Amino acid sequence: EGRETRLRVVLRVRPLTCTETRRGDQQVVHSLGDGAVHVSAARHDATFGFSAVFDAGASQEAVFEGSGMRQLVELAIDGFSCTVFAFGQTGSGKTYTLMGPLAQSETQPASPALLGLMQRSFTCLLEQSRSRGSDLALSASYLEIYNEQVRDLLSPGPPCALPLRWSKTRGFYVENQLSVEFESLEAIVSLLLQGSQRRRTSAHALNRHSSRSHALLTIHIRGRAVSAHPAPGEGWGGSACPSKQGSLCFVDLAGSERVKETGSSGELSVEANSINRSLLALGHCISLLAKPRGKRTHIPYRDSKLTRLLARSLGGSGITLMVACISPSSRCLSETLSTLHYASRARRVTTRP
Ligand code: ADP
Ligand code: MG
């Protein structure tokens, strides 16, 4: 608490897709074990290190257990602001890692083995809250940033833009966002599904269900440590135990992409440009934050809505896990290298939880 803590960065390499295999793409990314990964292609030969590397064979469960996600859930229950964000090129497996293959199977539910970090965290959260015997009040909010507008994915009706404000006590926050209470796994999973269906997606060359927005699902955890033996004269759940307020935020970033590769034009290229602009702002903040604290200059969080909303997770009092996702294919080499450099830089970023 209060000490500098590094961002935890893990890497996930997805398997080659059928299309990639069929057209004979070379696999250029190889896991070396112990958190090391090697990229070898024509003119490139580089090794990168992370807290953990999950290769094509890694199951969803292995990613949950090996990434430190379980500990993050526990820290959120203890009152910390925790964030996990998935980052990488379009089609690299961000949504798959966070939610599993939801979109492809709307008629039949996904197999439990394929559930992503989010559903696994919800289960863990609800189990912990039961076993600790403390009564936790849980609620969820779900937002997307689409073309630099913040929209509520849980409120009914057509999406409308919500104002993003700043206050001394709260930092950046979204005004009037809906927060829905839940007590069961079914309830929170159904909120996730409802919200995800309202999310802005478009089909393009690299991914049939490509997310065109950044989505942030936040679980708010309010705990009251109810004392078993209240002191005489002290009310039930008296002032002896201040209430803890933690949060757990899942960020599914829209993919970085180059407009010419995705065949985007018109409205799609407007989207792509605003996605790229906010990812660039995020990258810029991360580079500056990666410098030692004494040498840091002003961090331009205000450059985009995304960086404002992530300010606390990146440079403030949050605890953050970053899951960098890449494709192993030779065709994705330049985006893969850029994700790897970005992720390596993020490992030097520290916060003070
Ligand atoms: P992104 O959200 O980064 O754009 P997706 O998560 O939608 O990418 O993944 C793109 C495609 O690759 C999807 O069809 C998804 O099912 C598949 N995929 C991604 N990661 C894996 C994985 N680890 N194992 C199997 N299939 C995967
Ligand atoms: Mg996605």
Side-chain angles (χ1 to χ4, degrees):
E1 198 173 332
R3 277 202 314 224
E4 271 188 52
T5 307
R6 279 173 192 268
L7 249 67
R8 187 175 160 85
V9 183
V10 303
L11 178 75
R12 188 174 204 188
V13 191
R14 70 156 165 76
L16 283 170
T17 62
C18 300
T19 322
E20 287 169 343
T21 313
R22 229 181 297 128
R23 69 180 181 212
D25 287 12
Q26 292 298 309
Q27 187 152 336
V28 294
V29 181
H30 300 276
S31 163
L32 303 175
D34 251 1
V37 70
H38 186 241
V39 181
S40 59
R43 287 179 294 111
H44 297 275
D45 196 38
T47 304
F48 299 83
F50 297 98
S51 296
V53 173
F54 304 97
D55 61 18
S59 66
Q60 295 282 69
E61 188 190 358
V63 175
F64 179 76
E65 298 297 343
S67 62
M69 191 63 229
R70 186 182 286 282
Q71 289 87 322
L72 209 62
V73 174
E74 285 165 5
L75 287 162
I77 297 175
D78 284 339
F80 291 96
S81 304
C82 301
T83 306
V84 50
F85 67 96
F87 161 80
Q89 177 184 18
T90 295
S92 60
K94 299 179 296 294
T95 304
Y96 184 94
T97 298
L98 287 175
M99 302 195 225
L102 282 184
Q104 278 80 353
S105 56
E106 266 165 40
T107 44
Q108 59 207 110
S111 134
L114 298 183
L115 294 175
L117 290 179
M118 291 173 102
Q119 296 95 333
R120 285 167 203 273
S121 301
F122 302 156
T123 305
C124 173
L125 174 64
L126 289 158
E127 274 170 13
Q128 290 274 329
S129 103
R130 257 175 239 130
S131 75
R132 291 191 183 200
S134 57
D135 61 342
L136 297 182
L138 303 174
S139 63
S141 56
Y142 199 5
L143 303 168
E144 73 172 345
I145 306 174
Y146 174 69
N147 281 350
E148 277 304 280
Q149 281 188 346
V150 180
R151 314 203 295 197
D152 200 321
L153 291 172
L154 294 183
S155 70
C160 61
L162 296 178
L164 185 51
R165 307 215 185 277
W166 187 87
S167 86
K168 225 173 184 164
T169 47
R170 297 176 66 183
F172 293 107
Y173 67 97
V174 177
E175 200 169 66
N176 297 330
Q177 69 175 334
L178 200 64
S179 185
V180 181
E181 293 196 5
F182 65 91
E183 285 179 350
S184 69
L185 184 62
E186 293 71 39
I188 177 64
V189 167
S190 122
L191 288 174
L192 170 66
L193 281 174
Q194 274 171 37
S196 305
Q197 274 158 12
R198 307 185 71 217
R199 218 180 137 183
R200 186 64 185 232
T201 60
S202 318
H204 70 49
L206 292 180
N207 185 342
R208 274 189 306 134
H209 300 274
S210 166
S211 321
R212 310 301 294 168
S213 66
H214 307 297
L216 292 86
L217 181 130
T218 310
I219 309 282
H220 308 274
I221 306 165
R222 251 181 315 117
R224 269 163 302 156
V226 179
S227 121
H229 304 287
E234 197 184 339
W236 184 242
S239 55
C241 311
S243 82
K244 290 180 190 166
Q245 290 199 28
S247 62
L248 183 58
C249 180
F250 298 86
V251 186
D252 186 8
L253 294 177
S256 53
E257 60 188 53
R258 277 167 302 165
V259 174
K260 76 172 171 13
E261 251 174 48
T262 57
S264 307
S265 63
E267 188 187 15
L268 282 183
S269 78
V270 174
E271 287 174 356
N273 284 331
S274 72
I275 293 168
N276 288 344
R277 210 170 336 116
S278 58
L279 289 174
L280 204 66
L282 179 61
H284 190 203
C285 287
I286 289 180
S287 310
L288 293 172
L289 284 163
K291 295 184 181 165
R293 269 177 194 260
K295 293 194 180 147
R296 273 191 202 168
T297 48
H298 166 74
I299 312 291
Y301 293 118
R302 287 182 185 269
D303 281 0
S304 77
K305 298 262 162 72
L306 178 67
T307 43
R308 278 183 239 190
L309 284 177
L310 292 179
R312 185 182 4 192
S313 325
L314 290 173
S317 56
I319 303 178
T320 300
L321 168 67
M322 175 164 160
V323 185
C325 298
I326 57 173
S327 152
S329 157
S330 50
R331 297 239 186 160
C332 299
L333 183 63
S334 74
E335 285 282 351
T336 293
L337 286 169
S338 112
T339 300
L340 288 167
H341 284 298
Y342 206 112
S344 304
R345 219 174 291 137
R347 295 189 77 199
R348 297 204 298 271
V349 175
T350 59
T351 59
R352 288 177 194 270

PDB file of all heavy atoms in Angstrom, residues 90-91 93-96 199 207 209-213 252-255, ligand 2:
ATOM      1  N   THR A  90      -6.216  -5.615 -34.066  1.00  0.00           N
ATOM      2  CA  THR A  90      -7.520  -6.213 -34.348  1.00  0.00           C
ATOM      3  C   THR A  90      -7.341  -7.679 -34.728  1.00  0.00           C
ATOM      4  O   THR A  90      -6.459  -7.996 -35.527  1.00  0.00           O
ATOM      5  CB  THR A  90      -8.188  -5.455 -35.509  1.00  0.00           C
ATOM      6  OG1 THR A  90      -8.451  -4.133 -35.067  1.00  0.00           O
ATOM      7  CG2 THR A  90      -9.494  -6.096 -35.919  1.00  0.00           C
ATOM      8  N   GLY A  91      -8.152  -8.550 -34.144  1.00  0.00           N
ATOM      9  CA  GLY A  91      -8.070  -9.962 -34.481  1.00  0.00           C
ATOM     10  C   GLY A  91      -6.999 -10.725 -33.720  1.00  0.00           C
ATOM     11  O   GLY A  91      -6.733 -11.889 -34.006  1.00  0.00           O
ATOM     12  N   GLY A  93      -7.063 -11.473 -30.477  1.00  0.00           N
ATOM     13  CA  GLY A  93      -7.592 -12.299 -29.383  1.00  0.00           C
ATOM     14  C   GLY A  93      -7.934 -11.553 -28.097  1.00  0.00           C
ATOM     15  O   GLY A  93      -8.051 -12.177 -27.050  1.00  0.00           O
ATOM     16  N   LYS A  94      -8.117 -10.244 -28.153  1.00  0.00           N
ATOM     17  CA  LYS A  94      -8.440  -9.480 -26.942  1.00  0.00           C
ATOM     18  C   LYS A  94      -9.803  -9.865 -26.375  1.00  0.00           C
ATOM     19  O   LYS A  94      -9.928 -10.197 -25.203  1.00  0.00           O
ATOM     20  CB  LYS A  94      -8.445  -7.962 -27.246  1.00  0.00           C
ATOM     21  CG  LYS A  94      -7.123  -7.433 -27.726  1.00  0.00           C
ATOM     22  CD  LYS A  94      -7.196  -5.955 -28.037  1.00  0.00           C
ATOM     23  CE  LYS A  94      -8.123  -5.589 -29.172  1.00  0.00           C
ATOM     24  NZ  LYS A  94      -7.708  -6.094 -30.499  1.00  0.00           N
ATOM     25  N   THR A  95     -10.821  -9.818 -27.227  1.00  0.00           N
ATOM     26  CA  THR A  95     -12.166 -10.140 -26.762  1.00  0.00           C
ATOM     27  C   THR A  95     -12.249 -11.607 -26.350  1.00  0.00           C
ATOM     28  O   THR A  95     -12.858 -11.947 -25.343  1.00  0.00           O
ATOM     29  CB  THR A  95     -13.199  -9.807 -27.861  1.00  0.00           C
ATOM     30  OG1 THR A  95     -13.029  -8.427 -28.212  1.00  0.00           O
ATOM     31  CG2 THR A  95     -14.617 -10.017 -27.380  1.00  0.00           C
ATOM     32  N   TYR A  96     -11.582 -12.458 -27.102  1.00  0.00           N
ATOM     33  CA  TYR A  96     -11.551 -13.884 -26.760  1.00  0.00           C
ATOM     34  C   TYR A  96     -10.954 -14.076 -25.368  1.00  0.00           C
ATOM     35  O   TYR A  96     -11.462 -14.836 -24.562  1.00  0.00           O
ATOM     36  CB  TYR A  96     -10.725 -14.634 -27.805  1.00  0.00           C
ATOM     37  CG  TYR A  96     -10.709 -16.133 -27.616  1.00  0.00           C
ATOM     38  CD1 TYR A  96     -11.615 -16.943 -28.283  1.00  0.00           C
ATOM     39  CD2 TYR A  96      -9.776 -16.732 -26.768  1.00  0.00           C
ATOM     40  CE1 TYR A  96     -11.602 -18.322 -28.100  1.00  0.00           C
ATOM     41  CE2 TYR A  96      -9.759 -18.108 -26.576  1.00  0.00           C
ATOM     42  CZ  TYR A  96     -10.674 -18.891 -27.248  1.00  0.00           C
ATOM     43  OH  TYR A  96     -10.664 -20.247 -27.067  1.00  0.00           O
ATOM     44  N   ARG A 199     -22.671  -2.867 -28.077  1.00  0.00           N
ATOM     45  CA  ARG A 199     -21.394  -2.286 -28.424  1.00  0.00           C
ATOM     46  C   ARG A 199     -21.279  -2.118 -29.927  1.00  0.00           C
ATOM     47  O   ARG A 199     -21.802  -2.911 -30.690  1.00  0.00           O
ATOM     48  CB  ARG A 199     -20.290  -3.223 -27.954  1.00  0.00           C
ATOM     49  CG  ARG A 199     -19.124  -2.504 -27.415  1.00  0.00           C
ATOM     50  CD  ARG A 199     -18.080  -3.480 -26.969  1.00  0.00           C
ATOM     51  NE  ARG A 199     -16.789  -2.975 -27.407  1.00  0.00           N
ATOM     52  CZ  ARG A 199     -15.652  -3.607 -27.236  1.00  0.00           C
ATOM     53  NH1 ARG A 199     -15.636  -4.784 -26.661  1.00  0.00           N
ATOM     54  NH2 ARG A 199     -14.534  -3.074 -27.660  1.00  0.00           N
ATOM     55  N   ASN A 207     -11.394  -9.179 -39.066  1.00  0.00           N
ATOM     56  CA  ASN A 207     -12.174  -9.798 -37.994  1.00  0.00           C
ATOM     57  C   ASN A 207     -13.643  -9.557 -38.293  1.00  0.00           C
ATOM     58  O   ASN A 207     -14.072  -8.425 -38.467  1.00  0.00           O
ATOM     59  CB  ASN A 207     -11.777  -9.131 -36.664  1.00  0.00           C
ATOM     60  CG  ASN A 207     -12.440  -9.794 -35.465  1.00  0.00           C
ATOM     61  OD1 ASN A 207     -13.431 -10.511 -35.613  1.00  0.00           O
ATOM     62  ND2 ASN A 207     -11.897  -9.555 -34.297  1.00  0.00           N
ATOM     63  N   HIS A 209     -16.239  -9.793 -36.385  1.00  0.00           N
ATOM     64  CA  HIS A 209     -16.948  -9.062 -35.334  1.00  0.00           C
ATOM     65  C   HIS A 209     -15.967  -8.119 -34.664  1.00  0.00           C
ATOM     66  O   HIS A 209     -15.631  -8.288 -33.500  1.00  0.00           O
ATOM     67  CB  HIS A 209     -17.521 -10.016 -34.293  1.00  0.00           C
ATOM     68  CG  HIS A 209     -18.496 -10.988 -34.867  1.00  0.00           C
ATOM     69  ND1 HIS A 209     -19.818 -10.691 -35.018  1.00  0.00           N
ATOM     70  CD2 HIS A 209     -18.320 -12.236 -35.338  1.00  0.00           C
ATOM     71  CE1 HIS A 209     -20.429 -11.726 -35.557  1.00  0.00           C
ATOM     72  NE2 HIS A 209     -19.541 -12.678 -35.767  1.00  0.00           N
ATOM     73  N   SER A 210     -15.464  -7.191 -35.413  1.00  0.00           N
ATOM     74  CA  SER A 210     -14.436  -6.335 -34.869  1.00  0.00           C
ATOM     75  C   SER A 210     -15.067  -5.258 -33.994  1.00  0.00           C
ATOM     76  O   SER A 210     -16.033  -4.620 -34.377  1.00  0.00           O
ATOM     77  CB  SER A 210     -13.688  -5.700 -36.014  1.00  0.00           C
ATOM     78  OG  SER A 210     -12.928  -4.641 -35.540  1.00  0.00           O
ATOM     79  N   SER A 211     -14.518  -5.075 -32.784  1.00  0.00           N
ATOM     80  CA  SER A 211     -15.036  -4.037 -31.900  1.00  0.00           C
ATOM     81  C   SER A 211     -14.518  -2.692 -32.371  1.00  0.00           C
ATOM     82  O   SER A 211     -13.332  -2.521 -32.565  1.00  0.00           O
ATOM     83  CB  SER A 211     -14.562  -4.288 -30.483  1.00  0.00           C
ATOM     84  OG  SER A 211     -14.586  -5.664 -30.220  1.00  0.00           O
ATOM     85  N   ARG A 212     -15.427  -1.762 -32.554  1.00  0.00           N
ATOM     86  CA  ARG A 212     -15.034  -0.447 -33.041  1.00  0.00           C
ATOM     87  C   ARG A 212     -14.987   0.573 -31.923  1.00  0.00           C
ATOM     88  O   ARG A 212     -14.969   1.772 -32.159  1.00  0.00           O
ATOM     89  CB  ARG A 212     -16.019   0.018 -34.128  1.00  0.00           C
ATOM     90  CG  ARG A 212     -16.257  -1.001 -35.196  1.00  0.00           C
ATOM     91  CD  ARG A 212     -14.994  -1.390 -35.909  1.00  0.00           C
ATOM     92  NE  ARG A 212     -14.461  -0.265 -36.654  1.00  0.00           N
ATOM     93  CZ  ARG A 212     -13.263  -0.237 -37.190  1.00  0.00           C
ATOM     94  NH1 ARG A 212     -12.467  -1.264 -37.034  1.00  0.00           N
ATOM     95  NH2 ARG A 212     -12.867   0.800 -37.851  1.00  0.00           N
ATOM     96  N   SER A 213     -15.047   0.104 -30.715  1.00  0.00           N
ATOM     97  CA  SER A 213     -15.021   1.023 -29.577  1.00  0.00           C
ATOM     98  C   SER A 213     -14.154   0.406 -28.480  1.00  0.00           C
ATOM     99  O   SER A 213     -13.884  -0.789 -28.492  1.00  0.00           O
ATOM    100  CB  SER A 213     -16.438   1.226 -29.047  1.00  0.00           C
ATOM    101  OG  SER A 213     -16.927   0.010 -28.515  1.00  0.00           O
ATOM    102  N   ASP A 252     -11.553  -3.564 -22.739  1.00  0.00           N
ATOM    103  CA  ASP A 252     -11.338  -4.226 -24.026  1.00  0.00           C
ATOM    104  C   ASP A 252     -11.083  -3.117 -25.039  1.00  0.00           C
ATOM    105  O   ASP A 252     -12.002  -2.429 -25.459  1.00  0.00           O
ATOM    106  CB  ASP A 252     -12.597  -5.036 -24.381  1.00  0.00           C
ATOM    107  CG  ASP A 252     -12.407  -5.887 -25.639  1.00  0.00           C
ATOM    108  OD1 ASP A 252     -11.273  -5.978 -26.141  1.00  0.00           O
ATOM    109  OD2 ASP A 252     -13.411  -6.453 -26.114  1.00  0.00           O
ATOM    110  N   LEU A 253      -9.822  -2.927 -25.381  1.00  0.00           N
ATOM    111  CA  LEU A 253      -9.491  -1.843 -26.288  1.00  0.00           C
ATOM    112  C   LEU A 253      -9.841  -2.221 -27.718  1.00  0.00           C
ATOM    113  O   LEU A 253      -9.696  -3.378 -28.109  1.00  0.00           O
ATOM    114  CB  LEU A 253      -7.995  -1.527 -26.216  1.00  0.00           C
ATOM    115  CG  LEU A 253      -7.474  -0.971 -24.900  1.00  0.00           C
ATOM    116  CD1 LEU A 253      -5.967  -0.784 -24.970  1.00  0.00           C
ATOM    117  CD2 LEU A 253      -8.145   0.354 -24.580  1.00  0.00           C
ATOM    118  N   ALA A 254     -10.295  -1.255 -28.475  1.00  0.00           N
ATOM    119  CA  ALA A 254     -10.471  -1.493 -29.908  1.00  0.00           C
ATOM    120  C   ALA A 254      -9.079  -1.712 -30.487  1.00  0.00           C
ATOM    121  O   ALA A 254      -8.097  -1.183 -29.987  1.00  0.00           O
ATOM    122  CB  ALA A 254     -11.130  -0.297 -30.553  1.00  0.00           C
ATOM    123  N   GLY A 255      -9.001  -2.519 -31.530  1.00  0.00           N
ATOM    124  CA  GLY A 255      -7.689  -2.876 -32.045  1.00  0.00           C
ATOM    125  C   GLY A 255      -7.007  -1.755 -32.806  1.00  0.00           C
ATOM    126  O   GLY A 255      -7.656  -0.940 -33.448  1.00  0.00           O
TER     127      GLY A 255
HETATM  128 MG    MG B   2     -12.482  -7.394 -29.916  1.00  0.00          MG
END
